[in-house]
Every structure is written in C-alpha cells, then in structure tokens.
C-alpha cells in the first residue's frame, strides 16, 4: 500500500534539499523521517535516493514517486480545503491561474464583481505568468485558467470571453504613428519591449516577425504593462499590447497604436475549466459574469 506520508516526504526533500529541513517542515524528527523512508524502501525493495556528499540524488524509483507526489498531493490538499470550506459554511474555493500579463488587468475588473456576487466562495488568484497553465489545471492546482493561447484537449472546456487585437504602441512622434500600419521590416531598427516570456510564446515573433525573417535591433523585457508604456512614452522603444489595454493604461501618455500588418493580429481571451466542472455553480457564475464584461 502506498502511504500518502511518503509522498509528502519526497516532495519536501525535493523542495528543501535535505532530510533535516524536510523533517522540520513535516513536524517530525529526522530519525522518525529516516525510519519511515527506510521501512518503505525495505517493503518495496527499492532505494528512493542516494547520498552524494551532503546532497541527495533521487533514484529512478524516487523520481517516479516524486512525480506522483507533485501530481496527487495538490489534489488531496485542495479536496481537504474544500471540505473545510463546506464545514465552515463557505460554498467552496475557486483558484484562478493566469498565463499572460494583460489577463491580469481584465481579471482585476472581474474580481470585485465576482466577490460581491459570491461572498461565500474562497477566491484565489495565481499570477505565475511562466507556469504551464494547462498542466496546472489538469493537475488540480488551479480550477480556472485565463489564457490567450487556446490548446484543444478533450479534458478541458474553453470558453471565449472577448476578442481583441494586438497592436504596436509607439511614441506619438514616431514615424509609424503617422503611417498607421507596421510591417515586419519596420521593426528591424527598433528596440522591442515585451513581457518576460520565451519568444515561442510571443505572437509578435511567431505570427509577425519570424515568418518574415525579421528581428528587432534589440529586445528587452519589462515586468509590468505600465512600465512598458512609460518606456514607450519616453522614446525608449516600442511595445506590443492588446488594443484595449493601451487605451486604458496609455490614456494621457504620448503613445499611439499602430496596426500590425494589413490584417492585424487578432486574439481572444479564453477561460478553461476541467470538463464537468463547468456545472459547479460558482464556476458557472464566474463564466457567466465573464461573458458580460465589455472591453
């Protein structure tokens, strides 16, 4: 029989890097933790890790169980929190994850309305922009995913909530501001400012620059959309953002929007939930509210 406790030990050893720290986190003595591991190894005829100096290196069996722990423990913990919510009178918990910076501005408008309509639902937002959102949803680490990048999968139901265009934001005195439309070659001499994600996840590269075999003169990142627009306003570069976000956050700044190519670059924000969860009342309520939000 596989004990959940051994999975917790493996996860904490991996997180903290030592038996001592793992024992402290789990509130047991190091000798008790070592004894538990030793008995498990003897029962199954395996070793979970090997010591290399002061560090530990997981064996193949240990790696297999660690992956299981990382997948199953969040589900157990979420189930326990949900049961505690029910016991205390709350309806449940909704954990929302986001994969994009612009999604945050949209979600913040949603949050106030949702909390008012569903006061007995525990609400949590994870703004880990570089995590694998689909995997987090399927592994029960989150309950709802906000993403502009739709990935078809039979286990997840995606609902489109609004469409928008990606646009190039430039200083009002920039030559492209008067031109109104930018082609890939127009960015060859520009300093392009983007959010800090890999190039494979940036539409300005995958859908605009790379197909035309073009690159900007320099590429740098900024952590917030506010900073990106301030840099553009100071003539420190150009950036690519949703049109509605530039209208809202760029108001009062000497910034203009420019269409990317003759056809533009259209995008949609989608909300993803695990199939079957769309019927949960407080999740259905979030989806219904999202569809009423105007940009």
């Amino acid at each position: 029989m596989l004990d959940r406790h051994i999975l917790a030990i493996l996860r904490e050893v991996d997180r903290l890097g030592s038996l001592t720290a793992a024992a402290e986190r789990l509130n047991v003595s190091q000798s008790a933790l070592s004894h538990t591991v030793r008995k498990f190894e003897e029962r199954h005829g395996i070793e979970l890790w090997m010591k290399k100096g002061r560090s530990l290196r997981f064996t193949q069996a240990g790696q297999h169980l660690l992956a299981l722990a990382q997948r199953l423990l969040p589900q157990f913990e979420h189930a326990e929190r949900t049961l505690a919510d029910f016991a205390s009178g709350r309806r449940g918990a909704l954990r929302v994850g986001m994969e994009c910076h612009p999604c945050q501005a949209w979600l913040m408008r949603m949050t106030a309305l949702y909390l008012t309509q569903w006061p007995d639902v525990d609400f949590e937002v994870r703004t880990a922009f570089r995590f694998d959102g689909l995997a987090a949803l399927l592994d029960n680490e989150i309950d709802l995913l906000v993403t502009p990048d739709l990935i078809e999968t039979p286990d997840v139901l995606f609902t489109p909530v609004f469409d928008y265009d990606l646009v190039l934001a430039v200083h009002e005195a920039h030559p492209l501001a008067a031109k109104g439309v930018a082609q890939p070659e127009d960015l060859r001499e520009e300093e392009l400012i983007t959010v800090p994600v890999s190039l494979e996840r940036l539409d300005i590269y995958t859908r605009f620059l790379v197909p035309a075999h073009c690159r900007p003169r320099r590429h740098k990142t900024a952590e917030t959309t506010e900073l990106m627009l301030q840099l553009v306003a100071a003539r420190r570069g150009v950036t690519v953002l949703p049109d509605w976000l530039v209208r809202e956050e760029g108001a009062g700044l000497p910034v203009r929007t420019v269409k990317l190519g003759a056809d533009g670059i259209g995008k949609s924000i989608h909300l993803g939930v695990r199939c079957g969860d769309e019927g949960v009342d407080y999740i259905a309520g979030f989806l219904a509210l999202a569809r009423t939000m105007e940009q």
Side-chain angles (χ1 to χ4, degrees):
M1 180 178 177
L2 186 60
D3 191 339
R4 176 182 166 187
H5 185 53
I6 197 69
L7 298 180
I9 291 174
L10 287 168
R11 184 176 65 174
E12 296 308 325
V13 168
D14 178 62
R15 282 177 175 176
L16 304 174
S18 75
L19 296 178
T20 302
E24 291 178 359
R25 175 67 62 86
L26 295 170
N27 199 29
V28 298
S29 67
Q30 182 177 340
S31 60
L33 186 148
S34 298
H35 179 68
T36 299
V37 172
R38 188 164 54 252
K39 285 189 65 176
F40 181 85
E41 290 176 327
E42 291 173 353
R43 184 186 315 130
H44 294 279
I46 60 168
E47 289 186 346
L48 296 177
W49 52 62
M50 296 178 292
K51 290 186 177 181
K52 191 174 182 180
R54 294 187 175 183
S55 63
L56 298 173
R57 188 177 67 185
F58 283 91
T59 62
Q60 187 174 4
Q63 288 284 0
H64 174 74
L65 288 177
L66 175 61
L68 187 66
Q70 292 170 334
R71 186 169 66 253
L72 293 182
L73 289 179
Q75 298 182 40
F76 279 118
E77 291 160 357
H78 177 51
E80 289 169 346
R81 285 195 299 268
T82 301
L83 291 176
D85 288 339
F86 288 138
S88 64
R90 291 194 297 272
R91 178 168 259 144
L94 178 60
R95 300 162 300 164
V96 179
M98 293 184 293
E99 283 193 312
C100 67
H101 284 69
C103 299
Q104 186 174 21
W106 174 82
L107 183 60
M108 290 306 101
R109 292 207 299 270
M110 276 280 301
T111 300
L113 291 172
Y114 183 78
L115 293 178
T116 299
Q117 293 183 10
W118 298 86
D120 53 351
V121 172
D122 188 24
F123 188 79
E124 177 186 343
V125 176
R126 298 189 181 183
T127 56
F129 299 105
R130 296 173 185 160
F131 78 158
D132 185 342
L134 186 60
L137 182 63
L138 292 173
D139 288 344
N140 283 273
E141 296 178 29
I142 58 175
D143 306 300
L144 186 145
L145 174 65
V146 185
T147 180
D149 300 315
L150 179 63
I151 301 176
E152 296 288 351
T153 173
D155 299 317
V156 175
L157 174 67
F158 282 101
T159 301
V161 288
F162 72 89
D163 301 327
Y164 62 93
D165 287 323
L166 285 179
V167 294
L168 186 71
V170 303
H171 189 273
E172 62 183 7
H174 194 289
L176 286 173
K179 188 177 178 182
V181 178
Q183 299 301 332
E185 56 269 19
D186 291 326
L187 273 62
R188 289 185 188 275
E189 298 303 317
E190 298 294 338
E191 184 165 307
L192 179 62
I193 308 163
T194 73
V195 293
V197 299
S198 65
L199 299 187
E200 297 81 34
R201 295 189 60 189
L202 291 171
D203 291 286
I204 184 63
Y205 278 91
T206 60
R207 295 176 60 180
F208 191 69
L209 293 172
V210 173
H213 306 288
C214 293
R215 295 275 176 164
R217 176 176 58 83
R218 186 184 175 202
H219 176 206
K220 67 180 182 181
T221 62
E223 288 289 339
T224 66
T225 55
E226 294 88 348
L227 177 57
M228 294 164 72
L229 289 170
Q230 289 292 341
L231 290 169
V232 171
R235 304 192 186 192
R236 299 292 185 90
V238 299
T239 191
V240 175
L241 289 169
D243 51 0
W244 62 269
L245 193 58
V246 179
R247 287 195 300 269
E248 290 186 2
E249 297 188 0
L253 295 175
V255 173
R256 297 293 180 266
T257 61
V258 177
K259 192 175 181 180
L260 289 165
D263 298 326
I265 298 181
K267 296 282 289 182
S268 297
I269 290 292
H270 290 80
L271 303 182
V273 298
R274 290 179 295 274
C275 286
D277 284 358
E278 71 274 12
V280 177
D281 58 356
Y282 57 86
I283 293 179
F286 189 95
L287 297 175
L289 179 61
R291 287 191 287 265
T292 68
M293 296 287 291
E294 295 183 357
Q295 301 313 312

